[in-house]
Amino acid sequence: MVKNGKTHIDSLRDGRSIYIDGRRVADVTTDPAFANAVATAGSFYDFQAAPENIEAMTFRSPKTGEQVSRGWQLPKNHRELVERRKALEQWAGLTCGMIGRSPDHVASTFAGFRMGLSAFRDHDPARADALEGYYDYARDKDLYLSYVIINPQSDKAKTASGQPDPHLVASIVDEDSTGITIRGAKMLATSGVMANEMMVSGFNALQAGDEAYAFTAALPIGEKGLTLMSRRSYEQSATSTFDYPLSSRFDENDAVVHFDDVKIPWDRVFVHKDLKMAQAQWHDTRAHVFQNYQCIIRLMVKVKFLLGLARKIAELNNIINYPQVRETLGLLAAKVNNIEALIIAMEASGEYFNGYYVPNRTILCTAQVIAQTTYPEIVEAIRTLSGGGMIMVPSSIADFETPETRAIIEKTQRSVVTDAVGRVKLMKLAWDAVGSEFGSRHLQYEMFYSGPTFVTRGNAFRFFDWDGVKGFVDEFQASYGLPENPSLLSAAE
């Protein structure tokens, strides 16, 4: 049977240890801090299980023959890559692209690992076998995975082993014939509260002496000793869906994860005290490409939504025919189209890697660089087009229920294209998208989830075909030179 929303939501009642506002959460599926986001997580699986969507959203597991999410699919050609992308687009569309760590994200990471299984095998055959087995397990269970790959911020000038507390960053503190034991913290477990399991790894550069921090493993979120400490819940603070249409439903949450001597069996350990493999797992496989390809697909959906919002705001304020407004919207439209064009280009110029077909890595890096500047530009444009309209709105939906305040709303909230309710509704959506805590978190997220700009631009430098463009110049320079006839040389002087 195709996994559906009820199956997923029921699976989250596993005794997981999650804290928020100084209290332990008894049940994430009903708690006011998380219930709506959990319901949204369930909606991904309900959508894929709908009879009209099964073929587009799922593929058959080569092991069981059951239908599972295309997020786990390993494309063999361009057609399969595009089919997979279209499924990911539809999932992103369910939340206007606002759920960054939907089930297809970490699934894409593991798909990238699996396509690069030979790199794991070159370093440690036993760990490669563990990865292969876990990929099959997670795929066939159609698990919702989260991950933590960033170290807690303390002294960023020092590596993991150089921090004042040697157990600040999660590390291996013990091991035996059954597995490893880890202690310390990682961040940010985005979507962790509504996921089944979690991958623990690292993306930061490691040095000699950091071996205990050089590991990658997976474990259930309900595992004993694992605790998620949530940030503020925007969902819980939302007064209504009308007032906060995005944050009331799509607050995927972020959390610091603390491991208090958590035991992980060897069949879930994929990198073990290996400094080289800790880096190779991302770039010698295609994990970095495949996971960020999913990110760019989701971003494309999200910026299309925001572009539509910007256009509607211009129409609402009757400034759509101002030349400067059309210029702004035209520039944004070109940038949004550019994101989509880069996706199409990275697919069309993809490469075969170990028998699988993956997006073009250089173009993916280009898309990441451009994405980090495009999103803030769109947010700024929405703020400019809205002016004071985003903050000149009623305090809450309750103001519509009081005759005195409703009369004032109907008098002051006017537009040539809609009524007072329509204007307030659009302005509250705009505020939630770019001005609320939820909106501010998304700006920060889109600017930095793929790393600081020096990292993304460094990757663009690292993977670009410099030999090709330098060769182009060399070839042209070879077509001319100093004149062979001395008299011509004199004439030139």
Side-chain angles (χ1 to χ4, degrees):
M1 297 292 292
V2 179
K3 183 179 179 180
N4 61 26
K6 183 180 185 304
T7 300
H8 178 68
I9 291 171
D10 287 346
S11 72
L12 303 184
R13 299 186 180 99
D14 56 4
R16 56 189 55 198
S17 177
I18 297 176
Y19 283 83
I20 187 171
D21 297 329
R23 62 182 177 86
R24 180 168 177 171
V25 175
D27 184 349
V28 295
T29 71
T30 59
D31 193 277
F34 308 115
N36 289 348
V38 168
T40 295
S43 73
F44 289 122
Y45 295 103
D46 279 336
F47 184 83
Q48 78 170 13
E52 65 273 21
N53 297 329
I54 288 177
E55 289 305 313
M57 298 301 298
T58 67
F59 75 109
R60 292 194 178 276
S61 163
K63 191 172 183 179
T64 68
E66 297 291 338
Q67 301 289 130
V68 295
S69 165
R70 284 194 185 272
W72 298 102
Q73 188 175 5
L74 308 179
K76 297 289 185 67
N77 51 52
H78 176 262
R79 176 184 59 79
E80 290 184 0
L81 183 66
V82 173
E83 285 176 346
R84 181 181 182 276
R85 183 250 296 169
K86 289 181 178 179
L88 271 53
E89 273 188 71
Q90 291 196 67
W91 256 4
L94 297 179
T95 66
C96 310
M98 297 291 171
I99 298 287
R101 295 293 182 258
S102 46
D104 47 329
H105 179 71
V106 183
S108 295
T109 304
F110 271 94
F113 285 159
R114 177 61 182 81
M115 288 187 281
L117 188 64
S118 58
F120 287 87
R121 188 150 281 133
D122 289 343
H123 284 258
D124 189 334
R127 306 281 59 80
D129 289 344
L131 173 65
E132 184 175 21
Y134 184 78
Y135 168 80
D136 287 350
Y137 169 79
R139 176 200 62 205
D140 294 342
K141 292 289 186 181
D142 210 350
L143 295 181
Y144 193 152
L145 302 183
S146 179
Y147 65 15
V148 280
I149 60 175
I150 303 298
N151 296 339
Q153 294 181 352
S154 179
D155 187 344
K156 298 186 75 172
K158 295 180 180 179
T159 64
S161 60
Q163 299 300 318
D165 178 358
H167 301 303
L168 170 66
V169 179
S171 65
I172 298 174
V173 296
D174 192 20
E175 58 187 77
D176 57 26
S177 61
T178 62
I180 64 173
T181 299
I182 64 172
R183 182 188 306 161
K186 281 281 188 176
M187 56 188 241
L188 295 161
T190 304
S191 289
V193 297
M194 51 196 189
N196 298 117
E197 300 201 3
M198 178 180 299
M199 182 184 84
V200 189
S201 186
F203 207 77
N204 301 81
L206 297 171
Q207 301 176 4
D210 290 337
E211 285 79 7
Y213 304 89
F215 71 95
T216 299
L219 70 166
I221 291 176
E223 193 70 35
K224 181 181 178 182
L226 188 159
T227 298
L228 276 69
M229 189 168 179
S230 172
R231 61 149 167 81
R232 174 180 168 83
S233 169
Y234 310 141
E235 170 185 329
Q236 186 172 344
S237 302
T239 52
S240 71
T241 300
F242 183 89
D243 294 315
Y244 294 95
L246 302 173
S247 54
S248 63
R249 294 177 289 174
F250 306 146
D251 181 16
E252 61 190 336
N253 197 264
D254 311 284
V256 172
V257 182
H258 186 260
F259 303 92
D260 185 8
D261 289 358
V262 177
K263 189 69 175 284
I264 305 177
W266 285 116
D267 61 1
R268 286 169 168 264
V269 180
F270 319 126
V271 175
H272 175 243
K273 293 183 176 179
D274 190 328
L275 297 176
K276 291 184 178 180
M277 191 57 205
Q279 293 300 307
Q281 65 181 327
W282 303 109
H283 297 298
D284 289 358
T285 69
R286 286 299 180 268
H288 179 265
V289 172
F290 226 55
Q291 70 176 34
N292 285 294
Y293 168 60
Q294 182 273 342
C295 291
I296 297 299
I297 293 168
R298 177 200 53 79
L299 179 73
M300 173 188 69
V301 173
K302 189 175 185 179
V303 293
K304 283 184 175 181
F305 174 77
L306 293 180
L307 182 62
L309 182 58
R311 168 76 192 226
K312 285 181 68 67
I313 290 169
E315 293 174 350
L316 186 80
N317 290 333
N318 198 23
I319 56 174
I320 188 63
N321 291 318
Y322 288 16
Q324 62 270 37
V325 171
R326 287 179 170 263
E327 179 185 6
T328 296
L329 291 175
L331 178 61
L332 295 183
K335 290 177 180 289
V336 170
N337 264 344
N338 189 36
I339 297 293
E340 183 169 16
L342 287 169
I343 291 172
I344 294 170
M346 69 178 81
E347 293 169 344
S349 61
E351 62 171 333
Y352 284 96
F353 178 78
N354 292 343
Y356 303 102
Y357 189 81
V358 297
N360 181 297
R361 178 161 55 181
T362 298
I363 298 177
L364 180 277
C365 290
T366 299
Q368 284 187 287
V369 171
I370 291 174
Q372 284 183 310
T373 57
T374 297
Y375 192 86
E377 289 175 352
I378 296 176
V379 167
E380 182 64 23
I382 290 174
R383 287 181 172 276
T384 301
L385 292 169
S386 299
M390 285 197 297
I391 54 178
M392 193 188 69
V393 290
S395 58
S396 77
I397 194 173
D399 287 325
F400 283 96
E401 299 171 2
T402 303
E404 292 84 358
T405 52
R406 182 168 188 130
I408 296 174
I409 292 170
E410 291 176 349
K411 182 177 181 179
T412 59
Q413 300 288 340
R414 296 190 174 189
S415 170
V416 297
V417 295
T418 187
D419 59 13
V421 173
R423 180 182 181 88
V424 173
K425 186 176 183 180
L426 186 64
M427 286 292 103
K428 282 187 172 286
L429 172 59
W431 176 254
D432 205 14
V434 305
S436 65
E437 281 188 282
F438 176 89
S440 296
R441 179 263 182 195
H442 274 263
L443 176 60
Q444 195 77 0
Y445 179 88
E446 298 296 354
M447 290 176 67
F448 296 109
Y449 77 84
S450 57
T453 54
F454 74 85
V455 171
T456 55
R457 294 174 188 184
N459 284 334
F461 176 88
R462 176 183 177 187
F463 295 118
F464 189 77
D465 181 15
W466 293 110
D467 289 339
V469 293
K470 288 195 302 179
F472 189 9
V473 176
D474 291 341
E475 184 178 354
F476 179 73
Q477 284 189 300
S479 70
Y480 65 92
L482 291 173
E484 295 182 2
N485 189 328
S487 62
L488 293 177
L489 181 59
S490 300
E493 293 175 346

